[in-house]
Amino acid sequence: MEHEAFWLDAQDHSRLYVHAWRPMGNARAVILLSHGMAEHGGRYDRLGKALTPAGFALYAADQRGHGHSASYGTLGHYADQDGWNKVVGDLATLKASIAVRHPGVPVFLLGHSMGSYIAQGYLLHHSASLQGAILSGSNYHPVTFYRSAALVARIERWRQGPTGRSALIEHLSFGAFNKRFKPARTCYDWLNRDPAEVDAYSNDPLCGFRCTNQLWMDLLGGLQQISKRSNLAQIDPGLPILIIGGECDPVSDGKRLTHLADALSGTDHPFVTLKVYPQARHEILIETNREEVTRDLLAWMEQALKQPRPRRSE
C-alpha cells in the first residue's frame, strides 16, 4: 500500500490538500471521498488501509475551510462567495486528477455527513461518469425545512457578519445530539461508540470547530437544491447507490436514511440499497463494527463493478 499527500489547485486557484491511499499494483477502482463537517480527509486512514488490499484506491481532499486546505483560507469557511458551487466543483477537480492518475479506472463517490450532501450536489451534474455512489451518515428533509433553517442563518449572518460563528446555529444543529447518550462522557459521544475514536476527534485541533455563518448559508442553500425531487430526478437512473448509517445516529436517526432512499427510489432510481446498522452512531466507517461495515462496502462495490457503466472522464 502506498500513501501520499499532495496539493491540488482548485478551479479558482485555491489549493486543496489531498490524501491518497493506493494499492501496490494497478487499482481496480478508485473511491473519491467527500468528508464531513469539522473534520478532514486524514481521518480516513483506517479505511484507506482496509481498501487497498482489495485493489481499491482512496482519494480524500480536505474540503475548503477544513484540514490543511484551511491554510489557504479560513477554518470553517468555504468562501466569501459561491461557496456551495466551489466545494461541489472541487470534487470535479479531484475527479479529473484521478482520471489522469488512473486512466480508464472506474470511480466510486463516497460522501459522509456534510460530504454526502456535497456528493449529492455533484451527482446532479456528473453522475454518469461514476461507477457508483455511497452516502454515509446522511438524511433527507423537505425543502421547507431547510428554508426555515436558512432564515435563522441569514439573521445570524446579518447580526455577526459572514465570518461570525453563531452559538445559536451550533445549538440548533448539534445541541440535542448527545441527549440520548446520557450520561455522556464528552460532548462528542453521539459520533461513535468507540471512546478511543471520540477522544481522537476531541484532541484533534482540526476537528470539532464551529463553522462560519456564511458556510451555513452556503450549505443550507445546497441542501435546498438536493432536496427537490425534480433535481434528484437528474441523477443517472442507472447509477448504483448505497445508503449506510447507524440506527442511533442523531443526524439520520435511521428513519431519515429511509426517507432519503425513498426520495431517490421515488424519482425512478431502481438501484438504491439501504443498510442501517443496529446501535451504531454517526461515524459508521470507524464505528465499533467498522470491520463489518468495510466488508459490506467492499461486497457492494464488487457487485456494482459488474454493472455496465458509461466510461466518461468528466
Side-chain angles (χ1 to χ4, degrees):
M1 187 271 290
E2 295 181 32
H3 175 257
E4 71 162 325
F6 60 92
W7 288 98
L8 180 67
D9 290 330
Q11 295 173 358
D12 65 345
H13 305 297
S14 293
R15 306 205 77 197
L16 304 172
Y17 190 81
V18 181
H19 310 261
W21 296 263
R22 296 189 302 270
M24 295 304 293
N26 293 331
R28 299 170 53 228
V30 178
I31 297 93
L32 167 57
L33 188 144
S34 177
H35 69 71
M37 178 181 284
E39 61 157 347
H40 54 86
R43 298 188 70 234
Y44 293 83
D45 181 67
R46 191 213 69 85
L47 180 63
K49 290 176 178 176
L51 293 175
T52 51
F56 292 85
L58 176 67
Y59 284 76
D62 291 349
Q63 309 269 22
R64 289 169 185 255
H66 291 73
H68 295 294
S69 297
S71 61
Y72 284 86
T74 301
L75 191 67
H77 186 69
Y78 290 154
D80 292 339
Q81 296 181 333
D82 201 30
W84 174 258
N85 288 328
K86 287 176 178 175
V87 292
V88 172
D90 291 341
L91 287 181
T93 299
L94 182 51
K95 171 69 164 51
S97 176
I98 289 170
V100 172
R101 291 165 175 261
H102 303 273
V105 175
V107 176
F108 291 92
L109 176 60
L110 167 57
H112 172 68
S113 195
M114 176 192 77
S116 75
Y117 312 138
I118 297 170
Q120 290 173 68
Y122 180 89
L123 291 179
L124 297 186
H125 305 286
H126 304 284
S127 54
S129 69
L130 296 168
Q131 188 69 30
I134 304 107
L135 305 176
S136 163
S138 195
N139 63 22
Y140 179 84
H141 288 285
V143 177
T144 52
F145 175 88
Y146 294 120
R147 285 176 180 163
S148 299
L151 177 60
V152 175
R154 189 175 295 111
I155 292 171
E156 289 298 271
R157 185 178 63 176
W158 171 80
R159 187 176 69 88
Q160 294 182 319
T163 57
R165 300 171 191 265
S166 169
L168 175 61
I169 295 176
E170 182 89 358
H171 174 73
L172 293 174
S173 303
F174 305 108
F177 282 3
N178 246 9
K179 285 184 178 179
R180 68 174 66 183
F181 307 115
K182 290 182 177 180
R185 188 177 62 89
T186 76
C187 59
Y188 299 118
D189 282 19
W190 61 274
L191 287 173
N192 205 311
R193 289 172 293 177
D194 187 339
E197 292 292 349
V198 172
D199 289 344
Y201 182 93
S202 300
N203 296 326
D204 190 331
L206 295 176
C207 288
F209 50 84
R210 186 177 293 175
C211 291
T212 67
N213 297 328
Q214 185 60 51
L215 182 146
W216 280 107
M217 285 296 301
D218 292 330
L219 179 60
L220 289 164
L223 284 164
Q224 291 178 61
Q225 290 180 24
I226 65 174
S227 298
K228 293 179 180 177
R229 298 294 183 104
S230 58
N231 286 345
L232 290 177
Q234 298 175 25
I235 299 173
D236 181 1
L239 182 73
I241 300 174
L242 174 64
I243 299 170
I244 58 174
E247 178 189 32
C248 296
D249 176 6
V251 173
S252 60
D253 197 27
K255 298 176 183 178
R256 286 189 286 274
L257 288 174
T258 302
H259 296 164
L260 176 58
D262 290 345
L264 288 164
S265 297
T267 50
D268 296 325
H269 294 91
F271 303 112
V272 177
T273 302
L274 172 64
K275 179 73 174 180
V276 180
Y277 293 90
Q279 301 303 311
R281 301 181 191 178
H282 185 56
E283 294 191 328
I284 195 67
L285 296 167
I286 52 173
E287 251 278 14
T288 54
N289 62 322
R290 47 192 169 259
E291 292 185 5
E292 175 193 13
V293 175
T294 302
R295 285 195 303 268
D296 290 347
L297 184 61
L298 283 167
W300 181 85
M301 289 192 293
E302 291 288 358
Q303 289 300 312
L305 283 171
K306 298 176 182 178
Q307 185 163 328
R309 297 288 297 149
R311 285 287 175 259
R312 297 173 61 182
S313 60
E314 67 180 68

PDB file of all heavy atoms in Angstrom, residues 264-275:
ATOM      1  N   LEU A 264     -35.000   8.946  -3.443  1.00  0.00           N
ATOM      2  CA  LEU A 264     -34.277   8.537  -4.644  1.00  0.00           C
ATOM      3  C   LEU A 264     -35.054   7.478  -5.421  1.00  0.00           C
ATOM      4  O   LEU A 264     -35.183   7.569  -6.648  1.00  0.00           O
ATOM      5  CB  LEU A 264     -32.891   8.014  -4.264  1.00  0.00           C
ATOM      6  CG  LEU A 264     -31.894   9.080  -3.817  1.00  0.00           C
ATOM      7  CD1 LEU A 264     -30.709   8.452  -3.106  1.00  0.00           C
ATOM      8  CD2 LEU A 264     -31.420   9.900  -5.014  1.00  0.00           C
ATOM      9  N   SER A 265     -35.583   6.494  -4.712  1.00  0.00           N
ATOM     10  CA  SER A 265     -36.361   5.452  -5.398  1.00  0.00           C
ATOM     11  C   SER A 265     -37.610   6.038  -6.050  1.00  0.00           C
ATOM     12  O   SER A 265     -38.028   5.588  -7.113  1.00  0.00           O
ATOM     13  CB  SER A 265     -36.764   4.355  -4.399  1.00  0.00           C
ATOM     14  OG  SER A 265     -35.630   3.714  -3.864  1.00  0.00           O
ATOM     15  N   GLY A 266     -38.176   7.066  -5.406  1.00  0.00           N
ATOM     16  CA  GLY A 266     -39.375   7.707  -5.945  1.00  0.00           C
ATOM     17  C   GLY A 266     -39.131   8.563  -7.161  1.00  0.00           C
ATOM     18  O   GLY A 266     -40.084   9.047  -7.787  1.00  0.00           O
ATOM     19  N   THR A 267     -37.858   8.793  -7.493  1.00  0.00           N
ATOM     20  CA  THR A 267     -37.520   9.542  -8.712  1.00  0.00           C
ATOM     21  C   THR A 267     -36.882   8.608  -9.741  1.00  0.00           C
ATOM     22  O   THR A 267     -35.981   8.986 -10.479  1.00  0.00           O
ATOM     23  CB  THR A 267     -36.576  10.723  -8.394  1.00  0.00           C
ATOM     24  OG1 THR A 267     -35.470  10.267  -7.605  1.00  0.00           O
ATOM     25  CG2 THR A 267     -37.319  11.806  -7.624  1.00  0.00           C
ATOM     26  N   ASP A 268     -37.384   7.368  -9.744  1.00  0.00           N
ATOM     27  CA  ASP A 268     -37.017   6.375 -10.762  1.00  0.00           C
ATOM     28  C   ASP A 268     -35.546   5.973 -10.722  1.00  0.00           C
ATOM     29  O   ASP A 268     -34.880   5.900 -11.756  1.00  0.00           O
ATOM     30  CB  ASP A 268     -37.395   6.869 -12.169  1.00  0.00           C
ATOM     31  CG  ASP A 268     -38.898   7.045 -12.328  1.00  0.00           C
ATOM     32  OD1 ASP A 268     -39.639   6.241 -11.738  1.00  0.00           O
ATOM     33  OD2 ASP A 268     -39.330   7.979 -13.014  1.00  0.00           O
ATOM     34  N   HIS A 269     -35.038   5.723  -9.517  1.00  0.00           N
ATOM     35  CA  HIS A 269     -33.689   5.171  -9.344  1.00  0.00           C
ATOM     36  C   HIS A 269     -33.829   3.767  -8.761  1.00  0.00           C
ATOM     37  O   HIS A 269     -33.999   3.607  -7.547  1.00  0.00           O
ATOM     38  CB  HIS A 269     -32.845   6.069  -8.436  1.00  0.00           C
ATOM     39  CG  HIS A 269     -32.552   7.403  -9.032  1.00  0.00           C
ATOM     40  ND1 HIS A 269     -33.371   8.495  -8.839  1.00  0.00           N
ATOM     41  CD2 HIS A 269     -31.548   7.822  -9.838  1.00  0.00           C
ATOM     42  CE1 HIS A 269     -32.873   9.535  -9.507  1.00  0.00           C
ATOM     43  NE2 HIS A 269     -31.772   9.156 -10.117  1.00  0.00           N
ATOM     44  N   PRO A 270     -33.777   2.751  -9.608  1.00  0.00           N
ATOM     45  CA  PRO A 270     -34.060   1.381  -9.149  1.00  0.00           C
ATOM     46  C   PRO A 270     -32.909   0.701  -8.414  1.00  0.00           C
ATOM     47  O   PRO A 270     -33.126  -0.334  -7.779  1.00  0.00           O
ATOM     48  CB  PRO A 270     -34.362   0.636 -10.452  1.00  0.00           C
ATOM     49  CG  PRO A 270     -33.565   1.365 -11.495  1.00  0.00           C
ATOM     50  CD  PRO A 270     -33.567   2.812 -11.071  1.00  0.00           C
ATOM     51  N   PHE A 271     -31.695   1.261  -8.475  1.00  0.00           N
ATOM     52  CA  PHE A 271     -30.541   0.575  -7.906  1.00  0.00           C
ATOM     53  C   PHE A 271     -30.094   1.228  -6.603  1.00  0.00           C
ATOM     54  O   PHE A 271     -28.924   1.550  -6.414  1.00  0.00           O
ATOM     55  CB  PHE A 271     -29.391   0.539  -8.917  1.00  0.00           C
ATOM     56  CG  PHE A 271     -29.767  -0.102 -10.220  1.00  0.00           C
ATOM     57  CD1 PHE A 271     -29.840   0.657 -11.384  1.00  0.00           C
ATOM     58  CD2 PHE A 271     -30.058  -1.460 -10.296  1.00  0.00           C
ATOM     59  CE1 PHE A 271     -30.190   0.077 -12.586  1.00  0.00           C
ATOM     60  CE2 PHE A 271     -30.413  -2.052 -11.491  1.00  0.00           C
ATOM     61  CZ  PHE A 271     -30.481  -1.284 -12.649  1.00  0.00           C
ATOM     62  N   VAL A 272     -31.043   1.451  -5.696  1.00  0.00           N
ATOM     63  CA  VAL A 272     -30.769   2.051  -4.400  1.00  0.00           C
ATOM     64  C   VAL A 272     -30.797   0.961  -3.329  1.00  0.00           C
ATOM     65  O   VAL A 272     -31.779   0.229  -3.211  1.00  0.00           O
ATOM     66  CB  VAL A 272     -31.787   3.152  -4.055  1.00  0.00           C
ATOM     67  CG1 VAL A 272     -31.524   3.709  -2.650  1.00  0.00           C
ATOM     68  CG2 VAL A 272     -31.734   4.276  -5.082  1.00  0.00           C
ATOM     69  N   THR A 273     -29.712   0.857  -2.559  1.00  0.00           N
ATOM     70  CA  THR A 273     -29.602  -0.111  -1.466  1.00  0.00           C
ATOM     71  C   THR A 273     -29.460   0.638  -0.154  1.00  0.00           C
ATOM     72  O   THR A 273     -28.660   1.579  -0.054  1.00  0.00           O
ATOM     73  CB  THR A 273     -28.382  -1.031  -1.664  1.00  0.00           C
ATOM     74  OG1 THR A 273     -28.488  -1.705  -2.920  1.00  0.00           O
ATOM     75  CG2 THR A 273     -28.294  -2.067  -0.545  1.00  0.00           C
ATOM     76  N   LEU A 274     -30.224   0.239   0.861  1.00  0.00           N
ATOM     77  CA  LEU A 274     -30.180   0.868   2.180  1.00  0.00           C
ATOM     78  C   LEU A 274     -29.706  -0.140   3.212  1.00  0.00           C
ATOM     79  O   LEU A 274     -30.201  -1.265   3.267  1.00  0.00           O
ATOM     80  CB  LEU A 274     -31.573   1.384   2.556  1.00  0.00           C
ATOM     81  CG  LEU A 274     -31.751   1.909   3.994  1.00  0.00           C
ATOM     82  CD1 LEU A 274     -30.878   3.131   4.238  1.00  0.00           C
ATOM     83  CD2 LEU A 274     -33.214   2.221   4.263  1.00  0.00           C
ATOM     84  N   LYS A 275     -28.737   0.276   4.028  1.00  0.00           N
ATOM     85  CA  LYS A 275     -28.217  -0.577   5.100  1.00  0.00           C
ATOM     86  C   LYS A 275     -28.091   0.253   6.372  1.00  0.00           C
ATOM     87  O   LYS A 275     -27.289   1.194   6.437  1.00  0.00           O
ATOM     88  CB  LYS A 275     -26.853  -1.160   4.709  1.00  0.00           C
ATOM     89  CG  LYS A 275     -26.207  -2.053   5.770  1.00  0.00           C
ATOM     90  CD  LYS A 275     -26.875  -3.395   5.901  1.00  0.00           C
ATOM     91  CE  LYS A 275     -26.123  -4.296   6.857  1.00  0.00           C
ATOM     92  NZ  LYS A 275     -26.760  -5.619   7.004  1.00  0.00           N
TER      93      LYS A 275
END
